[in-house]
Every structure is written in C-alpha cells, then in structure tokens.
Amino acid sequence: MSSQTANQTSAAKTLEIRGLRKRFRRADDKVIVFDDLNLSVAAGEFVSIIGPSGCGKSTLLRLVCGLLEADAGSITVNGETPAEARERKHFGFVPQTPALLPWKSVRQNVTLLQSLHRNGRLDDETISEIIAAVGLSAVTHSLPGELSGGMQQRVSLARAFALRPPILLMDEPFSALDEITRSEMRYLLLDLWRDTGATILFVTHNIEEALVLSDRVLVMGSKPASIVANEAIDLARPRTEGIEDSADFHRYAAKLRSALFNETRDR
C-alpha cells in the first residue's frame, strides 16, 4: 500500500454506510437495489466503483448526497446525515453530461453556483486560477455551443471544484468523450484532486480509467448489489501516462476484469 493510501486508511472516515437497504417499486414488483450494503471511504480518498449496468452505482451516489432516502441502514457524512451534509454544501456533483446553461459564458457557468457556496463567493483571481487549471483561459467568455465536448466537461469540472466541496461525486463524467480526450481528462482530474484534497466517489465502466485515478476500486455486483471486490491500488503517485504501460497496472486490470467478468457471468 502506498504511503498516501496508508495515511488515508488511518484517517477518520468521511463516508460510512452501514446496513444500507434500498428498493424501488415497479408496477407490482419490488426491486431490491441494496440489501445490507456496507462501505467506508476515508477523508481525501479517491474511490472508483465499477459494475454491471443497472446494478445501482448511480443510485448509490444519489443516496450518499441525500437525493434519495434509504429504506433501512445508515449513511453518515462526517458524522452527519446526507440531508444535513447537503444543506451544508458538502457535496459537488459531476454528471455524465456537463449541464451548462447555453446562454452563459464559460466563466458565468463556472461561477453559477457560487451564491450557494458554504464559505461565500470566491474572489475573481481564484476563479481565474481554476479556469486556467482546466485549460480554458483562452475561451473564458465563450458560450458552451462554441466549445467541444471535452471543453464543456472541463467547464463542468471547474464549476464543481470552484465550490471547494469536501466530497465530490462523479457519475461517469467522461463516458461521452473520445478516448484521447477522455485520457486527458483523467490526468486533469488528478491534478485538481491533488490540489484540493477532496474525497471523490467516482462511477465508471472503464477499468483502466478506474486504475489511473483511484486509491481503491470497488466492483459492485448485481441486484441486490454488494461489493464483490475491494482492491487497493498500490501504484505510485503522482500518476502519469507511463503508468498505464507498467506490469503492475496490467496485473490490477486483469484482476478487476476477472472480478467483473465473474459477476456478469453469474447474473
């Protein structure tokens, strides 16, 4: 285990899930998504979740931030309920699509949620630094329709990090991007995470993406969902593109692919 991961593991837990149960009613059927799910995430840890489509990964993010209520069990965020943590603006959320306002500029979209910031608005210089960090200084006054998909997602990242949330929830944010742009975004995200120290829970279907980013990768099984693999990723940080060619990287990838394949095969 790397020193960074070891420190995070010994740190106080940011997120604690105990005995989580969630079900949905569809027509005359009850679909059990989670039944006795348990999970802990340490402060500052980067945890990715992979699993079959429809197993409940996105539902878990919504339960964590209080957009859905659990039927049983508990979720605590720094000792608070999800609703309390959301009220205190402890969450940032990055969805699959950037969800930008088309009539507002890059800068206006980045600062869109500043009025809700728990510590007040950031100064103009700090906002400019965040925009520069995601490589958008040259287009700060452009509208979303004038940007590529990758640039729009950079705006979405900047907006989330501009809130300085202690916890960032990311639901397949790079899935719509081409592979070259997607790879660039992974390392950009790592730079932002290193600078802010946020705790990140990241949903993806891409094993290589999870490995590049994460301190741990969780493989989630199908409904009722459970954690069928919990793999600590002992790859050196800071991570660069070269790590994807290493023997250790491919060893982890094979192990996670086997866990995911076995889960999918057994459905």
Side-chain angles (χ1 to χ4, degrees):
M1 180 179 292
S2 68
S3 60
Q4 178 176 355
T5 303
N7 290 338
Q8 291 166 339
T9 302
S10 63
K13 297 296 188 292
T14 290
L15 172 65
E16 288 276 5
I17 298 175
R18 291 289 173 263
L20 179 66
R21 180 178 173 85
K22 180 63 180 177
R23 66 184 181 183
F24 294 110
R25 182 178 293 278
R26 295 176 181 172
D28 295 330
D29 295 328
K30 294 178 181 178
V31 178
I32 300 175
V33 184
F34 300 114
D35 189 16
D36 195 30
L37 182 73
N38 298 283
L39 173 63
S40 296
V41 179
E45 193 175 15
F46 198 127
V47 176
S48 288
I49 303 173
I50 61 177
S53 295
C55 70
K57 301 182 296 297
S58 297
T59 298
L60 180 60
L61 296 188
R62 285 157 176 76
L63 286 163
V64 167
C65 66
L67 295 178
L68 293 174
E69 291 189 5
D71 295 319
S74 66
I75 301 175
T76 56
V77 182
N78 291 326
E80 300 179 324
T81 67
E84 290 169 338
R86 190 176 76 251
E87 179 68 22
R88 289 162 62 85
K89 310 299 184 293
H90 282 181
F91 296 110
F93 196 93
V94 181
Q96 294 182 31
T97 56
L100 307 178
L101 295 183
W103 60 89
K104 289 187 176 291
S105 69
V106 166
R107 189 181 190 89
Q108 289 169 331
N109 270 289
V110 169
T111 59
L112 186 63
L113 303 179
Q114 285 297 295
S115 61
L116 303 178
H117 197 281
R118 61 194 176 95
N119 292 323
R121 294 180 61 89
L122 299 181
D123 59 78
D124 289 342
E125 182 178 356
T126 302
I127 293 296
S128 295
E129 290 174 354
I130 293 171
I131 292 173
V134 298
L136 295 176
S137 296
V139 294
T140 186
H141 300 298
S142 298
L143 298 175
E146 300 170 319
L147 306 178
S148 67
M151 294 173 78
Q152 289 183 28
Q153 197 60 277
R154 287 170 185 258
V155 179
S156 183
L157 275 181
R159 181 173 59 193
F161 278 97
L163 293 175
R164 292 292 194 267
I167 302 174
L168 193 58
L169 307 175
M170 308 187 74
D171 191 2
E172 298 189 71
F174 308 145
S175 60
L177 303 178
D178 64 83
E179 188 55 39
I180 293 176
T181 304
R182 186 168 184 160
S183 179
E184 292 174 351
M185 293 296 291
R186 294 168 189 165
Y187 293 98
L188 172 60
L189 173 57
L190 285 177
D191 288 342
L192 292 169
W193 172 64
R194 184 179 64 244
D195 291 343
T196 62
T199 303
I200 297 183
L201 201 57
F202 187 97
V203 167
T204 180
H205 281 98
N206 189 296
I207 290 173
E208 287 73 21
E209 182 167 83
L211 285 174
V212 166
L213 295 170
S214 306
D215 295 312
R216 276 191 297 146
V217 178
L218 309 179
V219 179
M220 185 175 287
S222 54
K223 297 183 183 68
S226 61
I227 306 300
V228 298
N230 184 342
E231 187 72 22
I233 308 303
D234 187 14
L235 297 173
R237 294 192 185 274
R239 293 179 186 164
T240 61
E241 287 86 345
I243 203 162
E244 298 180 52
D245 297 323
S246 70
D248 285 341
F249 186 91
H250 290 288
R251 175 174 56 84
Y252 281 122
K255 191 172 183 179
L256 291 173
R257 192 170 290 110
S258 177
L260 185 59
F261 173 79
N262 288 338
E263 172 56 32
T264 303
R265 183 183 58 188
D266 294 338
R267 293 179 69 182

